Amino acid sequence: MTRLLLIGPPGAGKGTQAERLALAFNVPAISTGDIFRYNVTNNTPLGLEVKSFMDAGAYVPDSLTNAIVADRLKEADAASGFLLDGYPRTTDQVAELDRLLVAEGTQLDVVVLITADTDEVVARLLKRAAEQGRADDTAEVIRHRLDVYAEQTAPLIDVYSTRGVVVTIDGLGAVEAVTDRILAALAERGLRASTTTL
């Protein structure tokens, strides 16, 4: 069983690496952002609730996010492991995730911290906004999201560092190179991919 968490600022490449790592370790990549966007696109009641927060560049409230993640972790494909991308984002969400995992007699194996230069992150997100037509990725909103990340999410790194489970990875460079760095760091922690064909 492999239980991973990816942390990093918006635009650091977490989503791309989550997909590749999920394939390598044969576990589901659970992205709260993807779940939210699916519901927004399909105009579900959850989607309408989430859209107001996303349009403002704000995070969805913990209570809503916690409930969504708890339900997702109960699905059959997550029984043998998972990779979390975008959750937890706050120390309160860390406490809720701890509670969920303790109830199952498990814990996170490794927290992968992907770092990236702020200007590079902004450039990446503006490029993605242009390619995908994402209304939530304006320059102003991006910088606000980075501020919110620094304020709310960065403290998680301290929490997990005290537990000795954090590996820090440079997120700049070719996608394949970043994946190789992550796989090497995880192998040093005793987590070996079930496939290296990505």
Side-chain angles (χ1 to χ4, degrees):
M1 292 178 68
T2 303
R3 291 167 296 273
L4 303 173
L5 164 62
L6 266 60
I7 292 182
K14 294 189 304 297
T16 299
Q17 294 302 326
E19 290 177 10
R20 296 172 65 81
L21 294 172
L23 183 62
F25 287 94
N26 194 29
V27 295
I30 300 173
S31 163
T32 50
D34 287 348
I35 294 171
F36 292 153
R37 278 187 286 275
Y38 171 84
N39 282 277
V40 168
T41 300
N42 290 280
N43 291 313
T44 67
L46 170 62
L48 296 174
E49 191 174 352
V50 164
K51 189 174 188 301
S52 62
F53 296 102
M54 291 179 69
D55 285 349
Y59 287 143
V60 176
D62 285 354
S63 57
L64 191 55
T65 306
N66 289 339
I68 289 167
V69 172
D71 284 345
R72 181 63 183 86
L73 290 178
K74 289 175 185 170
E75 292 184 24
D77 65 342
S80 59
F82 54 80
L83 184 152
L84 290 171
D85 166 21
Y87 179 93
R89 288 183 189 268
T90 66
T91 51
D92 285 345
Q93 289 180 4
V94 169
E96 177 63 14
L97 179 60
D98 285 345
R99 189 189 67 75
L100 291 171
L101 295 178
V102 166
E104 297 296 322
T106 63
Q107 62 184 8
L108 290 174
D109 295 309
V110 176
V111 174
V112 178
L113 170 61
I114 301 177
T115 60
D117 175 76
T118 299
D119 290 339
E120 175 69 19
V121 162
V122 172
R124 281 185 185 182
L125 289 176
L126 287 174
K127 181 172 185 256
R128 184 171 76 183
E131 291 171 349
Q132 300 180 1
R134 288 175 55 163
D136 61 331
D137 279 351
T138 65
E140 183 179 357
V141 168
I142 288 168
R143 295 210 175 264
H144 175 68
R145 287 166 60 197
L146 291 171
D147 289 342
V148 173
Y149 167 79
E151 178 185 338
Q152 294 187 356
T153 310
L156 273 60
I157 299 160
D158 294 333
V159 171
Y160 286 119
S161 292
T162 62
R163 302 181 188 182
V165 295
V166 176
V167 297
T168 302
I169 305 294
D170 180 2
L172 297 183
V175 169
E176 295 80 5
V178 176
T179 304
D180 288 345
R181 285 178 214 143
I182 296 173
L183 291 175
L186 294 177
E188 288 180 8
R189 295 293 185 110
L191 297 176
R192 302 198 176 276
S194 55
T195 177
T196 54
T197 305
L198 300 176

PDB file of all heavy atoms in Angstrom, residues 66-80:
ATOM      1  N   ASN A  66     -13.615  18.486   3.396  1.00  0.00           N
ATOM      2  CA  ASN A  66     -13.418  17.289   4.216  1.00  0.00           C
ATOM      3  C   ASN A  66     -14.435  16.201   3.879  1.00  0.00           C
ATOM      4  O   ASN A  66     -14.087  15.018   3.774  1.00  0.00           O
ATOM      5  CB  ASN A  66     -13.538  17.629   5.707  1.00  0.00           C
ATOM      6  CG  ASN A  66     -12.366  18.444   6.218  1.00  0.00           C
ATOM      7  OD1 ASN A  66     -11.291  18.448   5.622  1.00  0.00           O
ATOM      8  ND2 ASN A  66     -12.571  19.140   7.314  1.00  0.00           N
ATOM      9  N   ALA A  67     -15.683  16.604   3.705  1.00  0.00           N
ATOM     10  CA  ALA A  67     -16.741  15.630   3.413  1.00  0.00           C
ATOM     11  C   ALA A  67     -16.510  14.963   2.066  1.00  0.00           C
ATOM     12  O   ALA A  67     -16.686  13.747   1.918  1.00  0.00           O
ATOM     13  CB  ALA A  67     -18.104  16.327   3.432  1.00  0.00           C
ATOM     14  N   ILE A  68     -16.084  15.745   1.084  1.00  0.00           N
ATOM     15  CA  ILE A  68     -15.834  15.201  -0.256  1.00  0.00           C
ATOM     16  C   ILE A  68     -14.690  14.193  -0.222  1.00  0.00           C
ATOM     17  O   ILE A  68     -14.776  13.108  -0.791  1.00  0.00           O
ATOM     18  CB  ILE A  68     -15.523  16.355  -1.237  1.00  0.00           C
ATOM     19  CG1 ILE A  68     -16.787  17.148  -1.510  1.00  0.00           C
ATOM     20  CG2 ILE A  68     -14.918  15.823  -2.533  1.00  0.00           C
ATOM     21  CD1 ILE A  68     -16.536  18.464  -2.209  1.00  0.00           C
ATOM     22  N   VAL A  69     -13.599  14.551   0.469  1.00  0.00           N
ATOM     23  CA  VAL A  69     -12.438  13.659   0.530  1.00  0.00           C
ATOM     24  C   VAL A  69     -12.762  12.388   1.310  1.00  0.00           C
ATOM     25  O   VAL A  69     -12.383  11.285   0.908  1.00  0.00           O
ATOM     26  CB  VAL A  69     -11.219  14.378   1.146  1.00  0.00           C
ATOM     27  CG1 VAL A  69     -10.070  13.403   1.386  1.00  0.00           C
ATOM     28  CG2 VAL A  69     -10.768  15.511   0.227  1.00  0.00           C
ATOM     29  N   ALA A  70     -13.484  12.526   2.419  1.00  0.00           N
ATOM     30  CA  ALA A  70     -13.859  11.351   3.217  1.00  0.00           C
ATOM     31  C   ALA A  70     -14.641  10.358   2.376  1.00  0.00           C
ATOM     32  O   ALA A  70     -14.377   9.144   2.413  1.00  0.00           O
ATOM     33  CB  ALA A  70     -14.667  11.781   4.441  1.00  0.00           C
ATOM     34  N   ASP A  71     -15.585  10.856   1.585  1.00  0.00           N
ATOM     35  CA  ASP A  71     -16.378   9.970   0.710  1.00  0.00           C
ATOM     36  C   ASP A  71     -15.485   9.313  -0.338  1.00  0.00           C
ATOM     37  O   ASP A  71     -15.625   8.119  -0.624  1.00  0.00           O
ATOM     38  CB  ASP A  71     -17.487  10.764   0.008  1.00  0.00           C
ATOM     39  CG  ASP A  71     -18.655  11.071   0.931  1.00  0.00           C
ATOM     40  OD1 ASP A  71     -18.735  10.436   2.010  1.00  0.00           O
ATOM     41  OD2 ASP A  71     -19.473  11.943   0.594  1.00  0.00           O
ATOM     42  N   ARG A  72     -14.556  10.091  -0.905  1.00  0.00           N
ATOM     43  CA  ARG A  72     -13.703   9.549  -1.978  1.00  0.00           C
ATOM     44  C   ARG A  72     -12.771   8.460  -1.447  1.00  0.00           C
ATOM     45  O   ARG A  72     -12.524   7.453  -2.124  1.00  0.00           O
ATOM     46  CB  ARG A  72     -12.886  10.696  -2.613  1.00  0.00           C
ATOM     47  CG  ARG A  72     -11.972  10.256  -3.752  1.00  0.00           C
ATOM     48  CD  ARG A  72     -12.776   9.696  -4.908  1.00  0.00           C
ATOM     49  NE  ARG A  72     -11.923   9.198  -5.988  1.00  0.00           N
ATOM     50  CZ  ARG A  72     -11.413   7.973  -6.040  1.00  0.00           C
ATOM     51  NH1 ARG A  72     -11.669   7.094  -5.056  1.00  0.00           N
ATOM     52  NH2 ARG A  72     -10.659   7.591  -7.048  1.00  0.00           N
ATOM     53  N   LEU A  73     -12.248   8.632  -0.238  1.00  0.00           N
ATOM     54  CA  LEU A  73     -11.322   7.641   0.324  1.00  0.00           C
ATOM     55  C   LEU A  73     -12.019   6.331   0.688  1.00  0.00           C
ATOM     56  O   LEU A  73     -11.358   5.311   0.877  1.00  0.00           O
ATOM     57  CB  LEU A  73     -10.614   8.213   1.566  1.00  0.00           C
ATOM     58  CG  LEU A  73      -9.593   9.319   1.292  1.00  0.00           C
ATOM     59  CD1 LEU A  73      -9.010   9.840   2.598  1.00  0.00           C
ATOM     60  CD2 LEU A  73      -8.478   8.826   0.373  1.00  0.00           C
ATOM     61  N   LYS A  74     -13.358   6.357   0.759  1.00  0.00           N
ATOM     62  CA  LYS A  74     -14.103   5.139   1.068  1.00  0.00           C
ATOM     63  C   LYS A  74     -14.349   4.278  -0.172  1.00  0.00           C
ATOM     64  O   LYS A  74     -14.792   3.144  -0.055  1.00  0.00           O
ATOM     65  CB  LYS A  74     -15.459   5.505   1.703  1.00  0.00           C
ATOM     66  CG  LYS A  74     -15.337   6.059   3.112  1.00  0.00           C
ATOM     67  CD  LYS A  74     -16.696   6.514   3.626  1.00  0.00           C
ATOM     68  CE  LYS A  74     -16.569   7.192   4.987  1.00  0.00           C
ATOM     69  NZ  LYS A  74     -17.822   7.834   5.393  1.00  0.00           N
ATOM     70  N   GLU A  75     -14.064   4.834  -1.351  1.00  0.00           N
ATOM     71  CA  GLU A  75     -14.301   4.072  -2.582  1.00  0.00           C
ATOM     72  C   GLU A  75     -13.289   2.937  -2.712  1.00  0.00           C
ATOM     73  O   GLU A  75     -12.167   3.013  -2.205  1.00  0.00           O
ATOM     74  CB  GLU A  75     -14.252   5.011  -3.798  1.00  0.00           C
ATOM     75  CG  GLU A  75     -15.419   5.991  -3.811  1.00  0.00           C
ATOM     76  CD  GLU A  75     -15.442   6.862  -5.054  1.00  0.00           C
ATOM     77  OE1 GLU A  75     -14.881   6.446  -6.093  1.00  0.00           O
ATOM     78  OE2 GLU A  75     -16.030   7.957  -4.985  1.00  0.00           O
ATOM     79  N   ALA A  76     -13.695   1.876  -3.399  1.00  0.00           N
ATOM     80  CA  ALA A  76     -12.914   0.635  -3.457  1.00  0.00           C
ATOM     81  C   ALA A  76     -11.498   0.824  -3.996  1.00  0.00           C
ATOM     82  O   ALA A  76     -10.558   0.207  -3.502  1.00  0.00           O
ATOM     83  CB  ALA A  76     -13.659  -0.396  -4.303  1.00  0.00           C
ATOM     84  N   ASP A  77     -11.346   1.700  -4.991  1.00  0.00           N
ATOM     85  CA  ASP A  77     -10.017   1.829  -5.603  1.00  0.00           C
ATOM     86  C   ASP A  77      -8.987   2.465  -4.686  1.00  0.00           C
ATOM     87  O   ASP A  77      -7.789   2.377  -4.931  1.00  0.00           O
ATOM     88  CB  ASP A  77     -10.096   2.594  -6.929  1.00  0.00           C
ATOM     89  CG  ASP A  77     -10.544   4.041  -6.742  1.00  0.00           C
ATOM     90  OD1 ASP A  77     -11.105   4.372  -5.687  1.00  0.00           O
ATOM     91  OD2 ASP A  77     -10.315   4.848  -7.677  1.00  0.00           O
ATOM     92  N   ALA A  78      -9.443   3.102  -3.592  1.00  0.00           N
ATOM     93  CA  ALA A  78      -8.507   3.730  -2.658  1.00  0.00           C
ATOM     94  C   ALA A  78      -8.125   2.803  -1.504  1.00  0.00           C
ATOM     95  O   ALA A  78      -7.304   3.169  -0.661  1.00  0.00           O
ATOM     96  CB  ALA A  78      -9.111   5.016  -2.104  1.00  0.00           C
ATOM     97  N   ALA A  79      -8.681   1.589  -1.495  1.00  0.00           N
ATOM     98  CA  ALA A  79      -8.427   0.664  -0.384  1.00  0.00           C
ATOM     99  C   ALA A  79      -6.965   0.228  -0.317  1.00  0.00           C
ATOM    100  O   ALA A  79      -6.437  -0.028   0.762  1.00  0.00           O
ATOM    101  CB  ALA A  79      -9.334  -0.558  -0.502  1.00  0.00           C
ATOM    102  N   SER A  80      -6.309   0.163  -1.468  1.00  0.00           N
ATOM    103  CA  SER A  80      -4.918  -0.306  -1.477  1.00  0.00           C
ATOM    104  C   SER A  80      -3.917   0.830  -1.620  1.00  0.00           C
ATOM    105  O   SER A  80      -2.746   0.609  -1.920  1.00  0.00           O
ATOM    106  CB  SER A  80      -4.709  -1.301  -2.623  1.00  0.00           C
ATOM    107  OG  SER A  80      -5.006  -0.694  -3.863  1.00  0.00           O
TER     108      SER A  80
END
